Amino acid sequence: MEAGDWQGARRAYEQASDSHHQDHAPSAWLMMGRLLEKQGDPDAADGAYRAAVDSGNPEYAPLAAVGLGLLLQRQRDATSAQAASQIAIDSRHPTTHPSRCCS
């Protein structure tokens, strides 16, 4: 896959997410959300992030919750953004918990 091959990346993420693998699928949903945001498709990005969050994967769900929270904040949906961010905080994931930056 060449740099900037958005379609190739999307196909790879779709294939991984369709696998329903406990680690690969949530990772793919997270990366798909980021890709779709960059391509200007916030509704599809929202769905991808939510799939990763709903997976409950301890590594990727909190990261997807952060992505979803930021996306919702940019869409001016403060209540939903706060709820998504709270999922990340409650996970106590080492890269998403506020104590990492604020202790």
Side-chain angles (χ1 to χ4, degrees):
M1 188 167 24
E2 295 180 24
D5 183 6
W6 298 104
Q7 292 303 328
R10 186 172 183 158
R11 282 191 302 274
Y13 295 144
E14 287 171 347
Q15 184 177 12
S17 65
D18 289 345
S19 75
H20 300 288
H21 185 276
Q22 65 183 7
D23 292 322
H24 301 308
S27 172
W29 287 318
L30 169 63
M31 297 308 294
M32 179 72 85
R34 291 175 177 169
L35 173 79
L36 291 166
E37 268 197 274
K38 288 181 182 180
Q39 288 186 310
D41 191 347
D43 292 335
D46 181 294
Y49 285 137
R50 288 181 193 273
V53 171
D54 291 346
S55 76
N57 180 283
E59 182 65 27
Y60 300 108
L63 299 174
V66 170
L68 178 60
L70 293 171
L71 172 68
L72 293 167
Q73 183 180 14
R74 285 189 290 276
Q75 293 179 323
R76 303 198 189 289
D77 184 349
T79 301
S80 296
Q82 183 176 4
S85 298
Q86 193 63 51
I87 292 169
I89 292 167
D90 291 347
S91 76
R92 301 199 58 82
H93 186 279
T95 62
T96 64
H97 195 267
S99 65
R100 180 173 184 259
C101 69
C102 308
S103 58

